[in-house]
Amino acid sequence: MGHPYLCILISISLAAGLSHTLAFTGCGKPVMSDRIVGGQDSVYGEWPWQVSLRKNGYHLCGGSLINTQWVVSAAHCFIGANLASDYIVNLGAYQLSSPRGILVPVKEIHIHPTFRQDGSSGDIALLKLQTPVQYDDYMMPICTPTHDVEFPIGFQCTVTGWGSIRPGVSLPTPQTLQKVQLPIIGHSECDAMYHFGNPSLLRNQTLIQWDMICAGYKEGRKDACQGDSGGPLVCLWNGTWLLTGVVSWGFSCADPNRPGVYTRVTAYSDWIKMVIPDIVLTSGTGRPCTYLSSVLILFVLRNLL
């Protein structure tokens, strides 16, 4: 079981922006810690697994580095007759109009065989890079959970990306990587929300499939949006960030009763392991830590010192 004081100390160190020069100590552990609507600028190096997937020189989708040569993204980013050579991954990116990091061509694209179209199951893709990358403070992998990890309803997680700040409105220059915290929504509750005010749906018609997970608020206002597709929804679990979801679909952005829908990564852990045999999956032992807000951290510090 996770110890509450350990969770507090982990959150304090993350929010304090502590940095060090230790070698890479494992996935999901940023060194530099201090499609998004209602979010805020991230800190450079805060989400070192976040990548920008580019086509013809332009940002197309997000993605997540999961080991030295593989990235997870969404299958719907590759609809159409596309070649792997059409794509480049920008790792270590922060502000898209002020390029940082490195550009690595995509060697292979593996789309899950069950994917058919936007909103269908199987909206996940694995990208093999032409060359392995060397980890540093700004490029390191997110942990991929085993299939049996269950993220609690209401648990606060974080989605990141360079997508629109509202439908049809691009992120203004310098296009700084955005982040927003969102709670996990139960499967049946999310499906009920999408049926609310949507008479074209049959009562027994299920929109939220078995391999999907929702995050957001009933009242809307905070959400992923166009351009965030394929990017990560991550949750802090015993001091390690786990890749919980891949930005998949939604109706508009940040509307009431229309939370963001993500491909549930645990549904495809075994497939990921099959495609990438040497990847090490992370089990969710113990309790997840809550990523404390800076206000709560200050309160904790004042009462501890």
Side-chain angles (χ1 to χ4, degrees):
M1 303 292 284
H3 195 288
Y5 292 113
L6 177 60
C7 291
I8 290 171
L9 289 173
I10 289 167
S11 297
I12 290 172
S13 64
L14 286 170
L18 300 179
S19 64
H20 53 73
T21 57
L22 295 178
F24 174 69
T25 56
C27 62
K29 298 180 185 295
V31 174
M32 310 292 288
S33 291
D34 177 53
R35 65 188 174 173
I36 307 298
V37 178
Q40 63 188 90
D41 288 357
S42 65
V43 176
Y44 184 39
E46 188 175 10
W47 314 104
W49 43 80
Q50 173 81 49
V51 309
S52 167
L53 177 66
R54 301 190 175 199
K55 185 177 182 182
N56 299 322
Y58 294 97
H59 172 78
L60 175 68
C61 285
S64 305
L65 185 69
I66 57 171
N67 78 358
T68 59
Q69 203 169 358
W70 290 88
V71 165
V72 174
S73 190
H76 76 261
C77 295
F78 304 94
I79 291 177
N82 299 303
L83 301 174
S85 57
D86 293 336
Y87 299 92
I88 289 179
V89 168
N90 186 183
L91 302 107
Y94 176 54
Q95 294 175 327
L96 295 185
S97 59
S98 302
R100 288 186 179 181
I102 61 173
L103 297 173
V104 182
V106 175
K107 181 179 181 180
E108 300 173 6
I109 302 173
H110 298 257
I111 295 174
H112 195 271
T114 61
F115 177 74
R116 295 292 178 268
Q117 60 189 8
D118 282 347
S120 77
S121 290
D123 190 11
I124 188 169
L126 293 172
L127 314 179
K128 186 175 185 180
L129 306 180
Q130 277 198 5
T131 57
V133 299
Q134 184 172 353
Y135 300 145
D136 61 24
D137 290 354
Y138 306 100
M139 290 183 291
M140 61 179 66
I142 182 67
C143 294
T144 304
T146 54
H147 71 276
D148 56 347
V149 177
E150 295 185 12
F151 299 95
I153 294 173
F155 189 59
Q156 290 284 338
C157 299
T158 301
V159 61
T160 52
W162 290 279
S164 301
I165 54 174
R166 57 182 180 272
V169 180
S170 299
L171 187 65
T173 302
Q175 295 178 282
T176 302
L177 181 65
Q178 299 291 289
K179 63 179 179 180
V180 66
Q181 280 194 325
L182 300 170
I184 299 295
I185 297 175
H187 192 273
S188 58
E189 180 184 1
C190 184
D191 196 68
M193 285 185 187
Y194 270 93
H195 279 76
F196 182 81
N198 197 347
S200 63
L201 289 177
L202 300 176
R203 181 172 298 181
N204 62 349
Q205 183 179 353
T206 301
L207 278 183
I208 311 304
Q209 304 298 320
W210 69 276
D211 65 335
M212 300 175 186
I213 189 170
C214 300
Y217 296 93
K218 182 178 178 63
E219 61 272 23
R221 297 202 298 268
K222 296 182 178 183
D223 196 6
C225 203
Q226 285 80 21
D228 293 320
S229 291
L233 173 71
V234 297
C235 300
L236 186 62
W237 195 285
N238 282 341
T240 297
W241 289 98
L242 299 184
L243 183 59
T244 305
V246 174
V247 178
S248 182
W249 65 274
F251 287 1
S252 190
C253 305
D255 285 355
N257 291 301
R258 302 294 185 264
V261 184
Y262 303 78
T263 302
R264 181 168 57 85
V265 174
T266 55
Y268 294 99
S269 298
D270 294 340
W271 176 71
I272 293 172
K273 182 70 173 176
M274 182 184 70
V275 177
I276 316 171
D278 61 343
I279 193 169
V280 178
L281 302 179
T282 303
S283 61
T285 56
R287 287 185 178 182
C289 291
T290 299
Y291 190 34
L292 303 179
S293 69
S294 57
V295 174
L296 181 54
I297 290 169
L298 287 175
F299 174 80
V300 171
L301 284 173
R302 287 170 181 167
N303 284 273
L304 286 178
L305 300 178

